[in-house]
Amino acid sequence: MSRGTEFLGYVTEKLEKKIGEVGGKIRETREDIRGMHEYYWENYTEMDQYGYEDFDNQQALLAQVNAEQEERKLRRRLLKMLDSPFFGSVDFVYEGEEKSEAFYIGIGNFAGETGGLPLIYDWRAPVCSLFYDYDKGGASYEAPGGRMEGEILSKRQYKIRDGKMIYEFESDMKIDDDILKQELGANGDVRLKNIVRTIQREQNAIIRNTRDKVLVIQGAAGSGKTSIALHRIAYLLYHDRKRLKSSNILILSPNSVFSNYISHVLPELGEETILEMSFDLFAYRRLQDVAADCRDKFDFIEEQMLLGRREQGRWKQSEEYVRTVEGFLLDLEDRLMEFKPVEYRGFSRKAEELLSLFYYKFPDIPLLSRMDAVMEYFVDEYETLSGRRIPEEDLELLREKFYGMYVTRDVYEIYNWLLEENGIPTLPDLPLERRVLEYEDVYPVLYLKYRLFTVKNRGSIRHLVVDEMQDYTYLQYVLLQRMFSCNMTILGDRAQTVDESPRDVLRFLPGIFGRDIRMVEMKKSYRNTLEIARYAEQISGLSGITYLERHGKPVEEETFRNLEEALEQALARVRVGAGGYETAAVLTMTEREAKACYKYLERRKRDSHAGADEGKCADSHAGADESKCADSHDRADEEIAEAGPVLSYIDRDSTAFQKGITVTTFYQAKGLEFDQVFLVAGDPENVFFRQFQYIGATRALHELYVYRCM
């Protein structure tokens, strides 16, 4: 019996024992809770009139409920470990010692006895960097007490499934390429995989980086950027539990499907799920007092592809726009203000006095919040001199007087002044309930609002993750810098910009975030077969990227007379189902093409159902039994539903990623991956065509088909 198999048996026995103990504690706690409930209902009428006993009982009950929840959480973690307790080990001899120690590495810590040394070390523990960062020979790691030096005598890798050893071997390399190919070459799942078994040295350095406030990761398609960011969050949560909790982290995701696709990773790594939302949704909520609605980003993308992007739209997102707003605000004070005297119950201040307070006492407060400070000063003076407080209803009347000194407090109207001054068409003059902001105006208006009003920094967020960084504009990063003073992980790929051309945000991010920023480039891609990777490389013109040597089927390119012929060929090539792949995608350039593809495939699936149903019905009629015919229809429906792959359509309102065949646009598929990808249609003359081809091609794990229509 090998050492790894022997240790697996030992640790499995310990895990099962611990799971039994925890199960016993859960049962005991549950009994305590039941008893406390019974005691409360039997005695609550006799508890003291001040409620002290009632409060004590409620607190005790809450403590027991929390204890049970913690025990249940521990039991779930232990059961997960029982399936695969560890995936690596290192034999390490400390400097100055003769006997080596074996460190087994898994998804979480596990000690056989309370307070004992771990049998399994969490992959995030300092000692585990030996496994990720070193081969045999001299090595060191940073422990809480300082740097620990020594020598690695051997390293082993394991694959355990359902508590059984699949393989184990000693490796001179950190992660053997054959193992890496097996892990990365597996069929696509409906969820992003955790990568603790295959973390590479350069990836580990990013994950364990705690020094830099703003870490920016520029990574090639398939380099594992999102996985690394999530593992980094798990690492930071593990090492800073006193200051950082899951509720202190926010991920800005490109869409709800992507959020669903990655949502399980942190729970798999032993952490709670964290808040995810799109920056657009965040912006729309902040503009509800400016406009009734905002146009969707995806409408904007579609319009860009059909009509091209207007230069004024680019200007509104640029550094020049930010400078223009700052200059506009300097002149706005005179245009915006009409000072008048204010009197309340014999106490008054002249217009000149209020002007002086506004300009000289509170010059650092944004314009549309500054009058609140002037009013507060007025109220404090009155209440101090009179010794009386002003009633709430009078405060509202006073507020109306002070706000009346603004020509307008409507950010929409002020934005139109700005546009008019710069020779750009203004927005329609409409009441609030009829206003709809175009997407290109959403962030320019939000920036102006944030410069005109005092906005509280979102202090509860202590780490912000920005994914698909290349799709954020200069203006959006300026807003993020103003809104969040916390640490950030920003990641993306300039080549995957959903625009006419790639956007390299690395050029302007240092100017926004200053010295706090560190930029890292990841130039190795692991996702695609070499054939697909080389095909995508020709489209993008990129160079300097290295690929995992995983070969597969050559990319197939064909031209068809129409969309229907292309889709029929795709159906003939799809290998999703029993014994085949898990996922396939039909990706198009525009939403109109995606809807047409989905309708055709849905109709084909319905027709095949009808054909199978008729066959069943004919068999039943042969037996001349109508009840059998009805039963046959029901069975046919069930069998067809089971036999055919699920067909799903992803659009802006979708929230989940499913196994089967997915139909969507290339820009909705960003961040996702599929076993097979069929790029269908698209206009080669469109300026977005190259982006459609490159982003679509890099979604494919194993097979890529490029179908053009005449």
Side-chain angles (χ1 to χ4, degrees):
M1 182 184 293
S2 69
R3 194 181 82 172
T5 303
E6 186 178 346
F7 184 74
L8 174 60
Y10 174 73
V11 82
T12 297
E13 185 180 324
K14 292 287 186 180
L15 277 165
E16 288 173 342
K17 180 183 176 184
K18 188 69 174 178
I19 290 167
E21 291 173 0
V22 173
K25 286 183 181 178
I26 291 172
R27 288 190 293 274
E28 288 175 11
T29 307
R30 196 181 300 144
E31 285 299 316
D32 288 344
I33 291 171
R34 186 181 294 114
M36 293 171 80
H37 276 299
E38 290 173 358
Y39 174 83
Y40 180 82
W41 289 113
E42 288 172 4
N43 297 280
Y44 78 95
T45 55
E46 300 175 10
M47 292 180 184
D48 65 275
Q49 60 177 320
Y50 300 106
Y52 295 130
E53 188 177 355
D54 183 21
F55 176 77
D56 288 343
N57 275 280
Q58 292 293 336
Q59 290 300 108
L61 178 61
L62 179 62
Q64 289 293 82
V65 169
N66 289 338
E68 186 196 21
Q69 289 176 346
E70 288 301 313
E71 292 293 341
R72 285 181 178 277
K73 191 186 298 183
L74 174 60
R75 187 171 183 272
R76 284 195 298 271
R77 183 172 70 82
L78 293 172
L79 285 170
K80 190 180 295 182
M81 289 188 73
L82 192 61
D83 177 69
S84 179
F86 54 91
F87 55 80
S89 68
V90 177
D91 288 348
F92 184 70
V93 59
Y94 287 99
E95 193 174 70
E97 297 189 9
E98 295 181 3
K99 189 176 179 181
S100 67
E101 292 188 36
F103 298 104
Y104 284 84
I105 301 158
I107 206 76
N109 280 316
F110 175 68
E113 308 295 335
T114 302
L117 286 174
L119 297 173
I120 309 293
Y121 287 84
D122 190 296
W123 65 276
R124 297 166 288 185
V127 71
C128 296
S129 63
L130 295 173
F131 177 74
Y132 292 116
D133 288 339
Y134 294 96
D135 301 327
K136 286 183 182 179
S140 64
Y141 67 93
E142 293 292 341
R147 180 179 288 272
M148 307 301 290
E149 304 275 356
E151 182 182 356
I152 294 175
L153 301 183
S154 72
K155 293 174 59 175
R156 287 182 174 84
Q157 294 174 239
Y158 312 88
K159 184 164 187 177
I160 302 167
R161 186 174 291 164
D162 297 328
K164 296 179 180 177
M165 185 70 71
I166 307 299
Y167 62 68
E168 64 171 296
F169 63 91
E170 188 168 344
S171 175
D172 289 337
M173 299 296 291
K174 175 175 62 65
I175 300 293
D176 186 88
D177 266 1
D178 288 337
I179 301 305
L180 191 57
K181 288 174 191 176
Q182 285 183 34
E183 293 295 313
L184 301 176
N187 289 349
D189 201 348
V190 291
R191 305 182 301 175
L192 191 70
K193 300 172 184 175
N194 82 64
I195 60 170
V196 290
R197 298 181 69 242
T198 59
I199 291 171
Q200 303 294 286
R201 187 171 299 172
E202 68 277 8
Q203 295 173 335
N204 193 47
I206 296 170
I207 290 168
R208 294 174 186 259
N209 181 312
T210 58
R211 300 182 305 277
D212 300 299
K213 183 174 182 181
V214 180
L215 185 62
V216 182
I217 306 166
Q218 158 60 38
S223 58
K225 299 178 294 294
T226 303
S227 291
I228 290 165
L230 293 173
H231 285 68
R232 182 172 191 238
I233 292 302
Y235 179 83
L236 295 174
L237 285 166
Y238 179 84
H239 280 270
D240 197 6
R241 297 223 182 268
K242 289 184 179 178
R243 196 188 71 89
L244 193 65
K245 295 179 173 58
S246 58
S247 58
N248 301 136
I249 299 171
L250 171 65
I251 295 181
L252 295 182
S253 295
N255 55 54
S256 297
V257 171
F258 184 74
S259 297
N260 171 256
Y261 184 63
I262 67 172
S263 61
H264 71 291
V265 173
L266 283 169
E268 274 191 10
L269 297 175
E271 302 297 341
E272 296 177 12
T273 54
I274 58 181
L275 178 63
E276 297 177 52
M277 67 184 299
S278 74
F279 195 24
D280 290 343
L281 179 60
F282 190 93
Y284 300 157
R285 289 176 179 174
R286 296 301 178 276
L287 292 174
Q288 289 177 343
D289 58 348
V290 177
D293 201 2
C294 300
R295 291 289 299 280
D296 195 274
K297 176 181 182 178
F298 302 115
D299 288 332
F300 180 63
I301 292 172
E302 290 288 330
E303 287 175 6
Q304 281 183 281
M305 287 192 283
L306 292 172
L307 306 173
R309 188 167 182 174
R310 293 169 292 184
E311 283 306 310
Q312 65 200 40
R314 293 187 184 279
W315 176 79
K316 289 176 182 179
Q317 310 298 321
S318 68
E319 185 176 1
E320 184 183 349
Y321 172 79
V322 174
R323 288 197 299 266
T324 300
V325 169
E326 298 309 309
F328 172 75
L329 292 174
L330 293 175
D331 298 329
L332 183 62
E333 293 182 352
D334 295 336
R335 182 176 180 178
L336 196 61
M337 306 308 303
E338 291 181 357
F339 292 97
K340 303 165 190 174
V342 176
E343 186 273 336
Y344 178 76
R345 294 189 178 182
F347 179 76
S348 64
R349 280 286 174 257
K350 297 177 183 178
E352 293 82 5
E353 293 175 301
L354 297 175
L355 180 149
S356 179
L357 287 171
F358 189 88
Y359 286 119
Y360 302 114
K361 186 166 185 61
F362 304 110
D364 296 329
I365 297 176
L367 276 173
L368 294 183
S369 292
R370 199 178 301 176
M371 196 54 79
D372 290 311
V374 174
M375 174 184 159
E376 187 177 335
Y377 190 88
F378 178 93
V379 170
D380 285 346
E381 275 195 303
Y382 170 81
E383 291 182 343
T384 301
L385 292 171
S386 66
R388 289 179 293 180
R389 296 189 65 80
I390 299 177
E392 281 297 323
E393 55 271 22
D394 289 358
L395 283 174
E396 286 304 312
L397 292 173
L398 269 175
R399 187 169 286 107
E400 287 179 16
K401 288 183 180 181
F402 279 96
Y403 283 177
M405 295 184 216
Y406 290 112
V407 173
T408 180
R409 298 184 80 247
D410 186 351
V411 175
Y412 186 92
E413 185 178 349
I414 296 170
Y415 181 64
N416 268 339
W417 294 354
L418 171 67
L419 296 180
E420 189 175 37
E421 279 191 13
N422 288 275
I424 293 174
T426 57
L427 309 185
D429 185 10
L430 297 169
L432 174 63
E433 63 274 10
R434 292 177 55 200
R435 295 174 184 169
V436 179
L437 284 180
E438 292 294 328
Y439 186 75
E440 70 179 35
D441 292 303
V442 168
Y443 290 99
V445 172
L446 184 64
Y447 180 72
L448 185 61
K449 179 181 177 180
Y450 274 27
R451 293 295 286 113
L452 289 169
F453 286 96
T454 299
V455 179
K456 291 182 180 178
N457 189 283
R458 292 177 62 83
S460 63
I461 301 299
R462 293 177 184 158
H463 200 104
L464 180 72
V465 180
V466 181
D467 206 349
E468 301 294 346
M469 68 180 184
Q470 69 281 354
D471 290 329
Y472 289 73
T473 64
Y474 179 91
L475 178 62
Q476 288 173 311
Y477 280 111
V478 171
L479 278 163
L480 288 173
Q481 192 272 337
R482 293 183 67 87
M483 293 159 56
F484 299 94
S485 60
C486 61
N487 290 11
M488 298 185 190
T489 302
I490 303 173
L491 58 142
D493 174 16
R494 64 174 74 91
Q496 295 186 62
T497 310
V498 180
D499 205 342
E500 297 174 15
S501 58
R503 181 184 298 123
D504 188 359
V505 301
L506 300 186
R507 291 186 299 103
F508 57 70
L509 285 183
I512 296 172
F513 292 103
R515 294 181 180 178
D516 292 331
I517 193 169
R518 175 179 172 80
M519 297 184 288
V520 178
E521 287 210 49
M522 299 176 59
K523 295 185 177 181
K524 185 165 184 178
S525 177
Y526 303 94
R527 177 187 294 142
N528 321 111
T529 63
L530 202 56
E531 289 76 11
I532 295 170
R534 294 298 185 201
Y535 180 86
E537 189 177 66
Q538 288 176 358
I539 296 169
S540 66
L542 295 173
S543 60
I545 300 171
T546 58
Y547 305 99
L548 186 69
E549 289 275 342
R550 182 173 69 86
H551 286 278
K553 189 176 180 180
V555 176
E556 289 190 17
E557 295 184 273
E558 292 187 63
T559 301
F560 299 90
R561 287 179 297 178
N562 52 51
L563 185 63
E564 289 76 12
E565 282 190 5
L567 292 173
E568 285 297 330
Q569 182 72 346
L571 286 172
R573 290 282 191 271
V574 166
R575 296 201 293 128
V576 173
Y581 292 129
E582 298 280 349
T583 59
V586 173
L587 302 183
T588 66
M589 187 169 164
T590 66
E591 190 173 48
R592 183 174 60 184
E593 292 169 341
K595 286 179 178 177
C597 289
Y598 181 71
K599 285 179 181 177
Y600 182 83
L601 293 173
E602 191 178 37
R603 187 168 64 250
R604 283 280 282 106
K605 187 171 185 179
R606 199 164 51 241
D607 290 345
S608 68
H609 284 199
D613 206 15
E614 287 175 11
K616 290 284 183 180
C617 185
D619 291 342
S620 181
H621 278 305
D625 188 335
E626 290 186 6
S627 64
K628 287 183 179 178
C629 180
D631 291 341
S632 177
H633 277 293
D634 294 339
R635 286 196 303 274
D637 287 341
E638 291 172 7
E639 289 171 11
I640 292 160
E642 290 174 3
V646 173
L647 177 67
S648 59
Y649 179 66
I650 291 178
D651 63 10
R652 66 196 70 186
D653 299 318
S654 301
T655 57
F657 181 53
Q658 303 180 63
K659 290 183 180 179
I661 304 172
T662 298
V663 182
T664 189
T665 58
F666 77 100
Y667 56 82
Q668 290 280 7
K670 288 182 64 176
L672 307 178
E673 56 187 33
F674 306 87
D675 295 313
Q676 294 177 291
V677 167
F678 299 85
L679 295 187
V680 177
D683 178 9
E685 300 301 316
N686 194 297
V687 291
F688 278 75
F689 187 70
R690 186 176 74 163
Q691 296 304 95
F692 156 59
Q693 283 198 306
Y694 177 73
I695 293 171
T698 54
R699 301 308 93 206
L701 282 167
H702 308 302
E703 297 181 16
L704 174 63
Y705 302 86
V706 181
Y707 294 164
R708 299 186 179 88
C709 302
M710 292 189 291

